[in-house]
Amino acid sequence: FTQLNQVLVRQFYSIDEYQLYQDKYVLLCSDGTDFHLPWTDEMVEEFSLMDNGMSDQPKCLAKCIKIWDVLNGLTIQTELCDYEAAEINMFAQNWSKVEEAILPKVKHPVILLGDMAYPAFWVFNRLNNSGINFLFRCKKDYCNEVKSFITSDQDHACLRLDMV
């Protein structure tokens, strides 16, 4: 299914008739979630158990990362991983696949939206060097620039990577 989806996505972007944000940008988004899986020895071995101490039995869980085209309702890349995997590392692996297989077909600039699990300067640098515009949620104390912005009376700001 993964290979079939990559063929579909490459073909979709080669036609150049997809919806754009502000008639200019491909709007991509990435987020992660957890899935409860059937309890089998194979599933437990492949993924992980999660025991929060609140139930009688641990649960077999997997973590999933998804990168999708928001306006066109198209899943670009997705993957199930071990529950213990760090979401930011899963994003980096999946983004590599997007860069390699999909982005060469996209003829418009990309804006990537991400949740609170993604802010990291190495990710910002990688996206910036690839010419990807991005917007990620972050915690109020993420870095000095964010702290300074919160205490200011500004309603928007842009963090320049060459200043950090």
Side-chain angles (χ1 to χ4, degrees):
F1 287 114
T2 301
Q3 291 170 340
L4 184 59
N5 188 66
Q6 286 180 349
V7 170
L8 169 86
V9 170
R10 281 194 299 268
Q11 183 64 29
F12 179 81
Y13 286 114
S14 68
I15 294 172
D16 199 23
E17 293 181 16
Y18 42 87
Q19 286 188 305
L20 298 170
Y21 175 69
Q22 295 185 344
D23 295 323
K24 182 177 180 181
Y25 298 98
V26 173
L27 187 59
L28 301 182
C29 186
S30 184
D31 199 6
T33 192
D34 300 334
F35 285 105
H36 291 255
L37 301 173
W39 184 290
T40 66
D41 290 340
E42 294 84 8
M43 289 289 198
V44 170
E45 186 177 323
E46 179 72 22
F47 298 102
S48 283
L49 291 177
M50 191 279 293
D51 185 2
N52 62 5
M54 299 181 73
S55 63
D56 295 338
Q57 184 175 13
K59 297 178 175 137
C60 183
L61 295 175
K63 190 165 285 190
C64 177
I65 190 82
K66 180 177 176 178
I67 300 170
W68 72 96
D69 181 322
V70 177
L71 297 176
N72 295 289
L74 184 66
T75 297
I76 306 297
Q77 178 68 32
T78 190
E79 187 173 3
L80 278 178
C81 293
D82 186 288
Y83 179 72
E84 300 296 325
E87 194 171 320
I88 193 167
N89 293 336
M90 290 172 54
F91 165 75
Q93 283 180 301
N94 282 277
W95 186 254
S96 292
K97 295 174 185 175
V98 171
E99 286 178 319
E100 185 179 296
I102 308 307
L103 289 184
K105 295 289 186 184
V106 176
K107 298 175 181 93
H108 296 88
V110 172
I111 297 177
L112 174 65
L113 307 175
D115 204 356
M116 227 183 265
Y118 301 115
F121 288 109
W122 66 269
V123 172
F124 297 163
N125 191 46
R126 178 177 173 182
L127 294 170
N128 189 56
N129 289 340
S130 298
I132 302 297
N133 302 288
F134 55 91
L135 176 66
F136 295 148
R137 276 185 3 158
C138 63
K139 295 180 182 179
K140 291 190 268 186
D141 63 349
Y142 174 69
C143 66
N144 290 334
E145 290 78 10
V146 171
K147 289 180 203 175
S148 176
F149 170 74
I150 289 173
T151 60
S152 77
D153 59 354
Q154 297 175 317
D155 60 357
H156 68 277
C158 183
L159 177 64
R160 287 189 35 212
L161 293 177
D162 59 354
M163 295 177 59
V164 202

